[in-house]
Amino acid sequence: MTAAQAPVAQAPVALREGEIFHGPSKTLTDAHFLMFSAVTGDVHPSHYDVEYAKGTRFGKPLAHGLLLASLTALGASNARERIDGYVLIEQGSRFLRPAAVGDTLAPELAIERVWREDKRLLCRVQTKLVNQHGETLLEGFHVYRVLEVEAKG
């Protein structure tokens, strides 16, 4: 392939305020809880020990909060082809309801704000995780720095 035939890299299309993206829905299993425990080292019995969890106010093992937050990854959503150069610099979450094995969760991401601070381009994304009953389990946000491609010439 000659240089003239080589594909030309194009800059990603910028995300715009008001756009909404969705991640894949996921039905939680014991395997998700165990894998997350293995990766993070969070082996608290409230996440996997049925007998222990019976004594809690929820009565059953619950998903790790950070596992739920990770399901809101912008890179797992249908925005993934448009976020080259987006670097996560901040995130926060508020947990409204628990999730357990068997729950099916669907992430929704809304572009809330795109702005400049000095020479930096930033993007704030509202995050939400909804279960199979339409209940919101998590509300949060991500802030990304958008690394811009410098024009050469």
Side-chain angles (χ1 to χ4, degrees):
M1 180 180 294
T2 68
Q5 296 170 323
V8 176
Q10 296 183 353
V13 177
L15 301 181
R16 293 178 307 280
E17 291 179 11
E19 285 190 278
I20 296 175
F21 299 97
H22 299 277
S25 64
K26 186 171 302 301
T27 301
L28 297 178
T29 68
D30 288 320
H32 293 114
F33 290 24
L34 292 174
M35 284 188 292
F36 195 82
S37 289
V39 168
T40 64
D42 182 348
V43 294
H44 192 276
S46 63
H47 302 300
Y48 66 88
D49 185 326
V50 173
E51 291 306 313
Y52 176 89
K54 283 180 183 177
T56 69
R57 66 184 273 200
F58 299 104
K60 59 187 172 186
L62 300 178
H64 301 74
L66 292 176
L67 169 60
L68 299 179
S70 73
L71 296 177
T72 66
L74 187 60
S77 77
N78 56 338
R80 73 182 142 272
E81 302 299 325
R82 296 176 51 198
I83 60 169
D84 287 347
Y86 280 61
V87 178
L88 181 66
I89 61 170
E90 184 180 354
Q91 70 90 37
S93 300
R94 206 166 57 116
F95 301 95
L96 307 173
R97 295 177 175 275
V101 167
D103 284 337
T104 300
L105 309 179
E108 183 178 295
L109 307 151
I111 308 306
E112 179 181 11
R113 184 172 172 222
V114 179
W115 76 102
R116 286 199 177 275
E117 281 184 13
D118 298 317
K119 294 182 180 183
R120 297 181 342 149
L121 181 61
L122 301 166
C123 177
R124 183 178 166 103
V125 179
Q126 288 181 337
T127 61
K128 185 189 321 188
L129 202 56
V130 178
N131 69 12
Q132 70 273 20
H133 305 294
E135 301 166 326
T136 300
L137 306 185
L138 173 153
E139 291 177 338
F141 71 93
H142 299 166
V143 177
Y144 295 87
R145 180 170 180 194
V146 182
L147 303 177
E148 299 178 273
V149 179
E150 292 183 21
K152 295 182 181 186

